[in-house]
Amino acid sequence: MNKVTGDAIPVHLYLCPLNLPGFSAEQQARLLDTLPLDEQQKVTRYRMASAREKGLLVRCYLRLLLSQAHERLNGEAGDLIAPTEWRFDYLDKGKPVLSKALFQRSRLVFNLSHSGDYMLLAIARLPKTLASKPLTPKSLASKSFNSKALGPEQQVRGLELGVDIERLRTNTNIHAILNHYFTQQERDALLALPPERQRLRFFDLWALKESYIKAKGLGLALSLKSFYFALSDAPHQALNFNGSAARQAWIEEAVSLFLVGENADQADASDSQQLARPAAGWQSMLGQLDDEYRFALSLSSTQPLALRCEMVSAQALLLAE
């Protein structure tokens, strides 16, 4: 999966701890000052100190790692972008994307997720072949975009990217959620597992479903029952997050995405299976950090991925000031 080929899409995957390792109030204030005023206000609006710390780290990580990815992926052009320069727009359902000007400079798309002690960030560079795809403005947010400024929409139409990281929770009533948000195929496959594996598989599927929802950028306007994931028991592959605090994860290679008709969940098992069709032009992967955390990535391309994985230390934020 890490082999680089000429037509591979470069994807950088960052695992970032969401705890401040003894940062002083002065150091936190310095990090806050690197953010634009509107983002500073969002951070300070949190009442709990732990929420403020995580909000600060998420925003600082995103800016630092966008700059690093841009330098690595577009460094030959000599066009560096400082962490303080990044600006964002939002699609109709709230998905953040780069502003038109910065997307045109970098051709980067990104998505992030955080749960428990970690943030997961994926950054990909849009291939020129995808950047030339025709676009339609029908799903643009009227408050953010117009027909003459299709930069943010081009990111979504050219390359849809979504990630999710989930912390396993032992108090979640998985069976109630299964009935409301999972398809018949997913329910049957999960309930066929031994009871001790069912909760693990629930969070595997939930991470995958969230990654696809986030890639589409439609929020809950896209029904969780309009698609499903099928997993096989193929051998797992090791995935190394390199860095000063490197750690190993495991990737489930055999993940298949299917789209189903509107009434598939009301049909019997055989008819429901016939209503499903493979999702053309998509690939997804499922990873597991340990028994507590799993993560997923979905991407609207079947081109091979040049995957670079990195474990990032919070200390890197201070070094980047």
Side-chain angles (χ1 to χ4, degrees):
M1 183 170 293
N2 288 294
K3 184 179 180 181
V4 179
T5 59
D7 60 349
I9 296 175
V11 178
H12 288 194
L13 198 60
Y14 300 96
L15 185 63
C16 310
L18 288 180
N19 48 14
L20 288 172
F23 281 8
S24 66
E26 180 185 356
Q27 290 172 319
Q28 293 184 47
R30 279 163 40 200
L31 288 178
L32 188 66
D33 286 341
T34 66
L35 301 177
L37 180 59
D38 63 324
E39 292 189 31
Q40 292 185 32
Q41 292 172 342
K42 290 178 181 178
V43 170
T44 56
R45 199 174 295 151
Y46 292 113
R47 293 184 178 181
M48 296 182 62
S50 60
R52 288 196 299 273
E53 291 174 358
K54 287 187 177 182
L56 176 63
L57 286 173
V58 165
R59 287 167 173 81
C60 290
Y61 276 133
L62 174 60
R63 290 174 171 277
L64 169 65
L65 297 174
L66 280 170
S67 293
Q68 288 187 3
H70 173 65
E71 182 176 3
R72 290 168 177 168
L73 295 172
N74 303 303
E76 69 279 0
D79 177 28
L80 303 182
I81 301 176
T84 55
E85 293 184 68
W86 296 102
R87 295 295 180 268
F88 306 97
D89 285 320
Y90 297 87
L91 299 183
D92 191 20
K93 301 300 181 180
K95 181 176 182 175
V97 295
L98 293 181
S99 68
K100 179 188 176 184
L102 286 164
F103 172 66
Q104 289 177 338
R105 284 176 64 183
S106 67
R107 296 197 351 259
L108 296 182
V109 296
F110 73 92
N111 196 241
L112 64 85
S113 172
H114 51 87
S115 179
D117 296 328
Y118 293 103
M119 176 185 109
L120 184 71
L121 170 65
I123 302 175
R125 185 179 63 191
L126 184 72
K128 293 181 179 179
T129 53
L130 293 178
S132 61
K133 290 175 62 175
L135 307 171
T136 57
K138 62 181 180 180
S139 63
L140 295 178
S142 58
K143 65 181 180 181
S144 300
F145 309 116
N146 57 65
S147 60
K148 295 181 180 179
L150 293 178
E153 177 70 1
Q154 184 173 358
Q155 301 173 55
V156 175
R157 293 302 177 202
L159 192 64
E160 297 170 284
L161 171 66
V163 294
D164 188 60
I165 184 168
E166 292 290 338
R167 184 180 189 178
L168 186 145
R169 295 176 291 280
T170 57
N171 60 348
T172 299
N173 185 345
I174 66 170
H175 296 288
I177 298 174
L178 277 177
N179 293 329
H180 285 90
Y181 298 112
F182 283 50
T183 66
Q184 186 68 48
Q185 295 89 339
E186 289 169 325
R187 294 196 298 269
D188 290 347
L190 184 147
L191 294 174
L193 295 172
E196 63 272 15
R197 292 185 57 194
Q198 290 181 10
R199 183 171 295 273
L200 294 174
R201 180 50 52 91
F202 170 86
F203 282 99
D204 288 342
L205 290 171
W206 191 259
L208 284 165
K209 290 173 84 71
E210 282 283 342
S211 72
Y212 180 68
I213 285 272
K214 294 178 68 181
K216 298 297 292 182
L218 298 176
L220 292 180
L222 178 62
S223 169
L224 287 166
K225 288 188 174 183
S226 66
F227 62 95
Y228 72 89
F229 284 93
L231 307 179
S232 79
D233 291 327
H236 291 183
Q237 176 181 334
L239 181 70
N240 294 316
F241 282 86
N242 299 313
S244 57
R247 66 176 301 171
Q248 188 177 73
W250 298 95
I251 292 296
E252 168 65 69
E253 290 287 346
V255 176
S256 301
L257 170 63
F258 294 87
L259 306 180
V260 298
E262 293 183 2
N263 300 317
D265 207 57
Q266 284 72 49
D268 60 38
S270 59
D271 290 340
S272 177
Q273 190 68 36
Q274 292 177 2
L275 290 171
R277 66 185 189 279
W282 281 86
Q283 62 180 303
S284 298
M285 75 175 196
L286 173 67
Q288 184 174 336
L289 291 178
D290 49 37
D291 288 341
E292 190 176 14
Y293 288 94
R294 57 261 305 115
F295 60 92
L297 179 149
S298 289
L299 188 74
S300 64
S301 173
T302 56
Q303 291 179 223
L305 304 183
L307 194 60
R308 176 185 179 128
C309 301
E310 185 174 341
M311 183 80 180
V312 182
S313 167
Q315 297 289 349
L317 298 174
L318 292 178
L319 296 175
E321 284 187 283

